Each structure stands twice: as C-alpha cells, then as structure tokens.
C-alpha cells in the first residue's frame, strides 16, 4: 500500500430530507396472531376407562388476547362410538363472542420419523372461512381423532406418554387510515451532532499524535464506538498516559477519516476526500482504512471498506488488496480477488505488478490458494501457479527458461 496525502477538508453527509406527499390512502388488513402449545399426557394407560365424555385438559395458554385449552378424551366424547376412538379438541377458555380462528391439532410421532398425525386449517383455502367460536367453552376438533386400538400400538405412544401440539391463529382485522395530523419527522441527526462536536473540539479530553499531526477527541465517544478504545481508556490495563497518545504505523489522513466515521457514522465521499476521481487513489484509501478499522475493531467500517474494495478490483491494485484480505481475514474480499486474478485475461498482467511481488514476499500461502483456484476453474493454459522453489507462476525459472509445470 502506498502513501496518501489529502488537501481538502472532509465533506459532511447530506442533510436533505425527502419531500412529503399530499395524497392519502387507507388499507384494511386481516391477518392471524399465531401461537402454539405442547401438551404432554403421561400415564395414558391409567387414564383409559375414565368414561365416555370425560377429559384430560391442558393448562390454559394465551394466543391473540384469548385463553385456550386442549381437551383429550381417552374414551371418546360420544357414547355412540363405544370408546373405540380417542377424541381431541381445542376450546376457547376465556370470555369472547364470535372469535374467529384457524386451528391445527397434531399428535406427535415419538419415533423420530416425523410421521405426525395432523389436522390443520393452515396452508389451505377454507370454503367457509375461519372457524368461529361463539362463546366460552366452544370447541373445535375431532370426536374420532384416532382409533384407540391403532393408537396403542403406534409410535405416537411411547413410555405410556402422548405428546400433542396445538397451533392457534386468531383472526384480527384493522384499518390503517389517513393520519389526522401531518408532522414531518426528519431522519436521525445524531451523527451530525457528534460530527459537529468533533469539529468544534469542545470538551475534548484526549489528543492523538499521528505522523506529526495532532487530533482532539473525546474518550467516551471513542470508547462507545470501539472496544479497543474502551479497553485503552477504561479497562483494567488502561494507558496511564492517556492525555496524548502516539499512534504508530498509520498516516494522519487515515486516522482523520477514522475519527470522521466514529463521530459521523458515515464515510466521506472518496473523490472529495482524495481530491481526485482516480479509482486507484480511492482504492488506496479504502485499503488503509480497512486495516485501521480492523485495528480498532470497527466492524461496520471494516465491512464498508471491504465492499468498496470488492467493487474496485483492478489489475494494478488487486494483488495488494488480496494480501490485505489475507492479513485481515476478509474472506469475501479474498474470494473476489482470487477469482479476478485467476482469470486468463488478468493473470499475466497482475504478475507484472509490484503488488504481486509484495504478495510473494508477505503472503506466500496465498499463491498456493491461487493455484488451487486456477485448477478449480480448469484454466490449464496457466496452471503453474504458486512458484515451486525457483519456478515462477508463468512457468519459467529465474533465468527465463521454460520449465515443465508441476502441481504440488
């Protein structure tokens, strides 16, 4: 990565608001408020013989503002069935009139095969619409839910236990009409307030010396945004001399941009920042800024820089970007760079850049990965990737003589 110089002040984010519209509208919405309850019946064999019409009830549970309960009849609900079937119902357990709802009753397969016995209103068109419960105690379900002799030899019964799941979807309707007031609420300007605080320097309680330049800042703001600054200022191993901190291995314009992001929560326009429309210059800034973001654990800034570098991949910068991605564990950016370099029309040109020499010196493992990528793409015309001893990526030795490509 090269050296950066800036000649302009950092631009501020736009403060323009969207125009309001004079048209009005309203919408009627009908939807369901959904909830579920699982009811476990232990000791099924002891419940048998309790009598037709006698039930075991779950605890009540709340869905859509109403209470509900599951009723299980071991000997059936109707005398005419002569206890040949078990019955299963869901009932409205609180006061309510004409409560419209969708239901689903499921007897769970306890073998792990997923062959549940289910009766459901969900996911299908109901000719007469949702079921309406008229009053407290109203029920929906099945008198002949399951033949008892089959149930007792099935995978639904395990260790003398049954497990039942009930889903309820209470139908709710409301109309969203035009508002009787017209108050335009602007977007949040929190970043602008903090940005102006940085510009004014009021209340600053820490100074940073970076490459000969001094920057004022506020410990609490920095600590709130960066866990690294938080540990540096307020952690158990905090710096004793935290009034003026020297920042090494970073250029002043990069640190200034870092502070800008911390306070404004936005990046300045890259072209205005570098004073040029040069794609190379913007990429160089993003490279340095990504390293700074990783250093101070500013994840959102790191991802913003990674995205900008993915967009700006080019012959003259891709190698250094690839090395940067490797060093800072930017997996998506690394994949984009490898794909770009491995393409036949780019590989030779990238190899002739100074950045590629940098990769060979600092990140030799990346060359092996590049070889694997080329092999994966099946581009056999340029497979000798990842030099072996004194054999270079283009298949020649240090004296320029052609050698037989070999894969490790």
């Amino acid at each position: 990565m090269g050296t950066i110089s800036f000649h302009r002040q950092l631009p501020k984010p736009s403060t323009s608001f969207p125009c309001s519209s004079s048209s009005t509208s309203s919408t009627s919405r009908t939807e369901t408020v959904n909830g579920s309850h699982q009811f476990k019946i232990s000791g099924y064999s002891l419940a048998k013989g309790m009598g037709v019409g006698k039930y075991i009830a779950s605890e009540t549970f709340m869905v859509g503002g109403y209470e509900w309960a599951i009723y299980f009849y071991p000997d059936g609900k109707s005398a005419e069935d002569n206890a040949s079937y078990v019955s299963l119902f869901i009932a409205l357990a609180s006061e309510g009139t004409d409560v419209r709802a969708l239901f689903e009753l499921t007897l769970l397969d306890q073998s792990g095969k997923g062959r549940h016995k289910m009766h459901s209103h969900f996911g299908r068109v109901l000719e007469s619409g949702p079921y309406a419960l008229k009053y407290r105690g109203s029920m929906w379900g099945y008198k002949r839910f399951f033949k008892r002799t089959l149930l007792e030899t099935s995978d639904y019964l395990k260790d003398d236990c049954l497990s039942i799941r009930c889903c309820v979807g209470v139908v709710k309707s409301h109309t969203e009409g035009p508002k009787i007031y017209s108050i335009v609420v602007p977007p949040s300007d929190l970043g602008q307030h903090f940005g102006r605080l940085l510009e004014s320097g009021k209340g600053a309680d820490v100074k940073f010396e970076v490459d000969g330049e001094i920057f004022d800042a506020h410990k609490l703001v920095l600590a709130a945004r960066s866990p690294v600054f938080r540990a540096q200022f307020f952690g158990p191993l905090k710096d004793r001399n935290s009034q003026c901190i020297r920042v090494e291995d970073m250029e002043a314009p990069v640190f200034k941009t870092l502070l800008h992001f911390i306070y404004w929560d936005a990046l300045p326009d890259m072209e205005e920042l570098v004073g040029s429309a040069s794609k190379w210059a913007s990429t160089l800034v993003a490279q340095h800024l990504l390293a700074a973001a990783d250093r101070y654990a500013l994840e959102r800034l790191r991802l913003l820089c990674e995205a900008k570098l993915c967009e700006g991949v080019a012959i003259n910068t891709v190698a250094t970007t690839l090395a940067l991605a490797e060093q800072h564990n930017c997996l998506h950016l690394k994949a984009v760079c490898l794909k770009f370099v491995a393409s036949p029309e780019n590989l030779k040109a990238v190899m002739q850049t100074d950045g590629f020499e940098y990769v060979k010196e600092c990140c030799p493992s990346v060359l092996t990965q590049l070889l694997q990528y080329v092999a994966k793409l099946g581009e056999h015309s340029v497979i000798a990737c990842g030099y072996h001893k004194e054999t270079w990526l283009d298949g020649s030795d240090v004296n320029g003589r052609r050698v037989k490509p070999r894969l490790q």
Side-chain angles (χ1 to χ4, degrees), residues 30 75 85 105 145 202 274 296 320-321 323 342 374 379 387 394-395:
T30 301
D75 296 324
Y85 292 86
L105 291 170
F145 186 79
K202 292 181 180 178
V274 301
Y296 290 102
T320 51
T321 298
V374 171
E379 302 295 345
Y387 58 99
D394 63 351

Side-chain angles (χ1 to χ4, degrees), residues 16-165:
S16 61
F17 300 146
C19 296
S20 59
S21 173
S22 60
S23 64
T24 61
S25 64
S26 63
T27 303
S28 174
R29 301 189 184 278
T30 301
E31 50 200 6
T32 58
V33 179
N34 300 329
S36 65
H37 182 81
Q38 189 157 328
F39 181 32
K40 184 176 181 180
I41 300 171
S42 182
Y44 164 79
S45 61
L46 298 177
K48 289 193 304 180
M50 66 190 306
V52 174
K54 300 293 180 64
Y55 57 81
I56 302 170
S58 71
E59 286 289 334
T60 59
F61 56 96
M62 184 76 72
V63 178
Y66 298 95
E67 290 187 333
W68 306 87
I70 302 169
Y71 286 77
F72 177 74
Y73 298 79
D75 296 324
K77 194 173 187 293
S78 299
E80 63 264 24
D81 291 330
N82 197 26
S84 298
Y85 292 86
V86 297
S87 303
L88 186 61
F89 286 83
I90 174 70
L92 179 63
S94 60
E95 297 299 331
T97 57
D98 294 323
V99 179
R100 300 172 69 238
L102 304 178
F103 302 105
E104 180 178 281
L105 291 170
T106 306
L107 186 60
L108 298 177
D109 178 2
Q110 301 189 74
S111 69
K113 299 175 183 177
R115 298 173 181 172
H116 310 304
K117 180 173 177 60
M118 178 190 300
H119 294 279
S120 178
H121 287 156
F122 293 94
R124 61 190 181 94
V125 177
L126 302 175
E127 292 184 2
S128 55
Y131 193 82
L133 301 178
K134 299 292 185 182
Y135 47 81
R136 180 178 183 177
S138 297
M139 292 182 167
W140 175 86
Y142 293 87
K143 292 180 181 179
R144 296 183 175 183
F145 186 79
F146 209 124
K147 197 167 183 65
R148 200 163 76 170
T149 55
L150 296 178
L151 173 64
E152 293 170 0
T153 58
S154 71
D155 289 330
Y156 303 111
L157 183 64
K158 181 180 181 181
D159 299 329
D160 206 27
C161 293
L162 296 171
S163 189
I164 299 166
R165 184 177 64 234

Side-chain angles (χ1 to χ4, degrees), residues 61-324:
F61 56 96
M62 184 76 72
V63 178
Y66 298 95
E67 290 187 333
W68 306 87
I70 302 169
Y71 286 77
F72 177 74
Y73 298 79
D75 296 324
K77 194 173 187 293
S78 299
E80 63 264 24
D81 291 330
N82 197 26
S84 298
Y85 292 86
V86 297
S87 303
L88 186 61
F89 286 83
I90 174 70
L92 179 63
S94 60
E95 297 299 331
T97 57
D98 294 323
V99 179
R100 300 172 69 238
L102 304 178
F103 302 105
E104 180 178 281
L105 291 170
T106 306
L107 186 60
L108 298 177
D109 178 2
Q110 301 189 74
S111 69
K113 299 175 183 177
R115 298 173 181 172
H116 310 304
K117 180 173 177 60
M118 178 190 300
H119 294 279
S120 178
H121 287 156
F122 293 94
R124 61 190 181 94
V125 177
L126 302 175
E127 292 184 2
S128 55
Y131 193 82
L133 301 178
K134 299 292 185 182
Y135 47 81
R136 180 178 183 177
S138 297
M139 292 182 167
W140 175 86
Y142 293 87
K143 292 180 181 179
R144 296 183 175 183
F145 186 79
F146 209 124
K147 197 167 183 65
R148 200 163 76 170
T149 55
L150 296 178
L151 173 64
E152 293 170 0
T153 58
S154 71
D155 289 330
Y156 303 111
L157 183 64
K158 181 180 181 181
D159 299 329
D160 206 27
C161 293
L162 296 171
S163 189
I164 299 166
R165 184 177 64 234
C166 175
C167 297
V168 179
V170 179
V171 177
K172 298 280 189 177
S173 297
H174 67 280
T175 300
E176 300 171 353
K179 297 177 180 178
I180 59 174
Y181 57 87
S182 179
I183 300 175
V184 177
V185 180
S188 171
D189 57 357
L190 183 64
Q192 296 174 42
H193 285 290
F194 277 101
R196 287 193 286 270
L197 179 66
L198 175 65
E199 291 177 346
S200 70
K202 292 181 180 178
D205 55 358
V206 63
K207 293 180 182 294
F208 292 91
E209 183 182 345
V210 188
D211 199 22
E213 291 190 36
I214 301 296
F215 298 92
D216 293 322
H218 307 78
K219 291 181 181 178
L220 283 176
V221 176
L222 300 181
R225 298 283 277 154
S226 163
V228 176
F229 281 128
R230 185 159 57 248
Q232 187 173 13
F233 295 139
F234 303 109
L237 301 177
K238 62 183 178 182
D239 291 344
R240 292 183 179 180
N241 180 22
S242 59
Q243 300 306 311
C244 186
I245 298 173
R246 183 187 297 273
V247 178
E248 304 288 351
D249 301 322
M250 187 179 300
E251 297 183 23
V254 175
F255 190 79
K256 186 175 184 180
T257 308
L258 183 79
L259 286 181
H260 183 278
F261 178 83
I262 288 175
Y263 281 78
W264 288 94
D265 196 36
L267 281 174
D269 182 87
M270 287 296 185
E271 290 186 11
E272 293 186 32
L273 181 63
V274 301
S276 167
S278 167
K279 187 177 180 181
W280 175 85
S282 296
T283 297
L284 185 59
V285 172
Q287 288 176 340
H288 281 269
L289 202 52
L290 186 148
D294 194 37
R295 177 173 174 175
Y296 290 102
L298 295 168
E299 181 64 15
R300 183 168 177 269
L301 176 58
R302 190 181 74 85
L303 292 174
L304 283 171
C305 294
E306 188 174 355
K308 286 184 178 295
L309 290 171
C310 285
E311 294 171 2
V313 170
I315 295 290
N316 59 341
T317 57
V318 66
T320 51
T321 298
L322 177 58
L324 187 74

Side-chain angles (χ1 to χ4, degrees), residues 1 290-291 294 320-330 334 358-359 361-363 366:
M1 296 186 290
L290 186 148
D294 194 37
T320 51
T321 298
L322 177 58
L324 187 74
E326 173 73 5
Q327 293 163 352
H328 296 279
N329 197 32
C330 301
K334 180 178 175 180
Y358 175 78
V359 171
E361 293 174 8
C362 300
C363 306
V366 172

Side-chain angles (χ1 to χ4, degrees), residues 315-320 322-323 341 347-363 366-367 370 384-387 392-394:
I315 295 290
N316 59 341
T317 57
V318 66
T320 51
L322 177 58
V341 176
L347 183 56
K348 188 173 182 180
V350 172
M351 287 171 52
Q352 295 172 351
T353 64
D354 293 337
F356 189 76
E357 294 299 320
Y358 175 78
V359 171
K360 289 194 295 185
E361 293 174 8
C362 300
C363 306
V366 172
L367 296 181
L370 180 57
C385 170
Y387 58 99
W392 302 99
L393 197 63
D394 63 351

